[in-house]
Amino acid sequence: MAFILALEAPDVFAAVCSQSGFTEFGYDQRAQTYSGQRRTPIMLVHGVLDTDVQVGASDTIHTILKGLGWSDTELVYLRLDNVAHRWQP
């Protein structure tokens, strides 16, 4: 949801963090046509060992955002080794 809000309501959120994120209902395809003026800073956090939501979901989001022009200062991707879906203590 954080990823979607970053694109749909960039005037409301200063930045977002998507943890173990994925997109439903084809939103990843819709995001590829994003033409908004503001690039909301986004942090993606995903554990490589996540079996609930495959890390490839965040990889796809990262690829889409880079393709749309998000810079390394606007987009941070933490791909956590040896971490599953429920990583907080």
Side-chain angles (χ1 to χ4, degrees), residues 2-81:
F3 167 61
I4 294 171
L5 288 172
L7 301 186
E8 297 293 329
D11 55 323
V12 176
F13 296 92
V16 299
C17 178
S18 177
Q19 296 182 15
S20 300
F22 69 102
T23 59
E24 292 181 329
F25 312 114
Y27 193 83
D28 53 339
Q29 305 230 335
R30 179 177 171 184
Q32 293 178 36
T33 64
Y34 178 74
S35 61
Q37 296 297 314
R38 181 172 185 271
R39 290 187 195 97
T40 302
I42 298 174
M43 175 179 277
L44 302 172
V45 180
H46 208 127
V48 173
L49 301 179
D50 190 337
T51 57
D52 294 336
V53 179
Q54 299 296 314
V55 71
S58 289
D59 293 343
T60 298
I61 292 170
H62 181 260
T63 299
I64 290 168
L65 293 172
K66 291 300 276 186
L68 290 169
W70 262 255
S71 70
D72 289 338
T73 58
E74 297 165 327
L75 177 62
V76 174
Y77 184 17
L78 302 176
R79 213 170 182 270
L80 306 175
D81 293 328

